[in-house]
């Protein structure tokens, strides 16, 4: 195959092209990106007195424990407490973390909890011991004492834990025990944090955040996905319940079947996005919940939700003379955050008839207030026809590897009329086109597979070719716990100790780190064939960057006739494997990209093994 590359660029590559899509699904937030190590730390949204309310907690040393609705609640947002009845001896409670706790001797952990003595006050201070212990209880890795003053008022205590050794596995508990005390103590809002990514307060798990930073992402779409929608209107994501002290965050029933603490709140997202050098693509709730409840078509019914969305945006970009901007400043960020894109809902193709009135209601109110923000519609593109005409759409694609390759031409025929597109979710998820969302036994991927990743690469060639109208794209879902998940495959899998980079992760990275500045048109690939390519020009250092995907089993040589003289050696990054190969917890590095140096030539021959993606950077003379 010979590809002739044109020296005249057709369009620039937008700065926003490759980024991240995030929502709390498969414990990607609580138990994932969010650094908190304790599960069910504040007994949010649970029913007191039930076994379920004690999720992740166990008694230690003969204590009796129960979640109660405290007669003196810690706060109106956190009405529940963990009541511990301590017998003589050493007794208390333990938390198993999010299916394990990573005990690392090079870390210092910050631990805290609230307490009060609801009945008879002890005659003197009570010693509580916070510890990191093996789940079997045989090994104490770290412990520290804190003194609890005899008080019936809620009081917070803090300590640090520095393990004397790293644990061999993550089967560890955090415990708080009491000695020389027998009686009743109420506790609430426990917390245990390792060092966070870049030291952000109430911030992110360092290894996951680093893996995301290593993708070189430009944007972060959040907080959903289905998870912004809620299963009901009452349980939708509400920004104002996610900011301020943790004691004022009630949490919510997440859309993905577990409680969200909202410890990872709007402010934490925005600070982290800034630290990562990304920009937000932020969603507002658009009047439709996933269970089917929709806000009625009346100005009065819609007004409170539109106002909540306005306040959400004001919190992000309002100046400090506005209530939202002042609140943001009080949390430590007087400067407005960057906010260029706001998405109105998520996948409103599931409620198109009501989006016909919801879209204009939100747009007519919000666009004049925030003229510099580009609002994205979330129905199918131009279906239904919305007014005012959307400037941009977010479109989602989950399909087979084969579908992605064949549809690399998807945007080629779109009108160039000012409308821009965000491929806000896409992934090859199954080899079975008639049961895409089925089980692994029916072809669904558990982890991204090499053939899926190569199919996605073929599709991404089309996104680069159409980057004059496709301004952003993100694989989804981004993160999923290895076992506690609601969706597979995910770009990164993780558990309490490990982060597993998938074959699709590496493909995303190869595109993102080699995005170039301008697109050079070239001979068109046959969309029903097996070879797909894209060539861009990079300004500094000057280079042509060739990307080539081979979705077939047979190796192929492709000659790229480049439009200018080249010099020196070219750098080849290549990933290839068997079509069903995946990186898994057992074999996390089964398929990784390999970097090598190859001879550069103006007729540049790239050898593409079967099921491979290659990126060749050719320096310009
Ligand atoms: O990425 C998983 C889900 O897929 C998202 O929450 C939703 O937007 C889509 O249907």
């Amino acid at each position: 195959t010979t590809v002739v590359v044109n020296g005249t660029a057709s369009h620039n590559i937008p700065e926003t092209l490759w980024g991240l899509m995030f929502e709390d699904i498969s414990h990607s937030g609580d138990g994932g990106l969010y650094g908190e190590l304790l599960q069910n730390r504040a007994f949010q949204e649970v029913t007191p007195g039930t076994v379920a309310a004690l999720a992740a907690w166990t008694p230690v040393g003969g204590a009796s424990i129960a979640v109660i609705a405290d007669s003196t609640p810690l706060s109106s947002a956190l009405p529940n407490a963990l009541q511990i009845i301590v017998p003589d001896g050493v007794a208390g409670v333990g938390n198993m973390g999010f299916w394990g706790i990573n005990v690392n001797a090079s870390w210092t952990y910050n631990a805290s909890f609230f307490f009060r003595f609801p009945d008879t006050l002890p005659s003197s201070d009570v010693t509580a011991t916070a510890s990191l212990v093996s789940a079997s209880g045989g090994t104490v890795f770290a412990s520290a004492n804190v003194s609890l003053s005899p008080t019936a008022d809620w009081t917070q205590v803090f300590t640090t834990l520095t393990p004397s050794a790293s644990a061999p596995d993550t089967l560890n508990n955090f415990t708080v025990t009491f000695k020389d005390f027998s009686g009743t103590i109420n506790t609430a809002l426990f917390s245990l944090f390792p060092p966070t990514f870049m030291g952000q307060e109430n911030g992110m798990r360092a290894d996951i955040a680093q893996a995301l930073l290593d993708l070189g992402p430009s944007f972060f779409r959040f907080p959903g996905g289905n998870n912004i929608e809620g299963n009901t209107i009452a349980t939708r994501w509400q920004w104002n319940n996610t900011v301020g002290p943790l004691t004022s965050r009630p949490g919510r029933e997440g859309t993905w079947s577990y409680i969200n603490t909202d410890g990872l709140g709007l402010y934490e997202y925005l600070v982290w996005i800034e630290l990562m050098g990304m920009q937000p693509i932020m969603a507002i709730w658009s009047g439709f919940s996933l269970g089917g409840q929709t806000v009625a078509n009346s100005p009065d019914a819609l007004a409170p939700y539109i106002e909540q969305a306005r306040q959400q945006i004001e919190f992000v970009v309002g100046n400090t003379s506005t209530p939202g901007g002042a609140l943001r400043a009080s949390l430590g960020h007087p400067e407005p955050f960057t906010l260029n894109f706001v998405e109105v809902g998520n996948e409103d193709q599931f409620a198109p008839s009501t989006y016909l009135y919801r879209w204009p209601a939100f747009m007519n109110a919000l666009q004049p207030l925030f003229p510099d923000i580009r609002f994205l519609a979330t129905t199918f593109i131009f279906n239904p026809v919305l007014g005012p005409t959307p400037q941009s759409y977010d479109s989602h694609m989950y399909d087979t590897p084969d579908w992605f390759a064949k549809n690399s031409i998807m945007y080629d025929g779109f009108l160039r009329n000012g409308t821009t597109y965000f491929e806000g979710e896409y992934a090859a998820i199954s080899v079975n086109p008639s049961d895409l969302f089925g089980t692994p036994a029916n072809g669904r991927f558990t982890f991204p597979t090499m053939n899926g990743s190569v199919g996605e690469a073929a599709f991404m060639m089309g996104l680069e070719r159409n980057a004059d109208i496709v301004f952003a794209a993100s694989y989804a879902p981004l993160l999923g716990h290895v076992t506690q998940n609601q969706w597979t495959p995910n770009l990164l899998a993780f558990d309490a100790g490990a982060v597993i980079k998938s074959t699709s992760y590496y493909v995303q990275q190869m595109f993102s780190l080699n995005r170039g500045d301008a697109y050079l048109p070239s001979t068109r690939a046959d969309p029903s064939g097996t070879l797909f390519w894209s060539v861009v020009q990079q300004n500094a250092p000057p280079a042509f960057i060739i990307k080539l995907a081979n979705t077939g089993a047979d190796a192929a040589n492709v000659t790229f006739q480049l439009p200018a003289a080249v010099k020196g050696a070219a750098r080849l990054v290549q990933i290839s494997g068997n079509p069903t190969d995946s990186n898994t917890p057992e074999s996390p590095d089964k398929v990784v990209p390999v970097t090598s140096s190859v001879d550069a030539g103006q007729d540049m021959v790239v050898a593409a093994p079967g099921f491979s993606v290659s990126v060749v950077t050719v320096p310009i003379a």
Side-chain angles (χ1 to χ4, degrees), residues 21 23 25 221 224-227 229 256 346-347 350 396 398 425 476-477 487:
M21 152 41 178
E23 64 174 323
I25 176 175
R221 172 177 172 229
N226 290 357
N227 201 37
E229 296 177 57
W256 291 104
N346 175 62
E347 294 195 338
F350 291 116
H396 300 170
Y398 294 102
E425 299 180 24
W487 184 290

Side-chain angles (χ1 to χ4, degrees), residues 10-12 14 416 419-420 463-471:
S10 55
H11 56 270
N12 290 334
R416 271 49 188 174
T419 314
T420 62
L463 300 181
E464 278 191 349
R465 186 169 60 249
N466 289 281
D468 57 324
I469 56 169
V470 178
F471 72 96

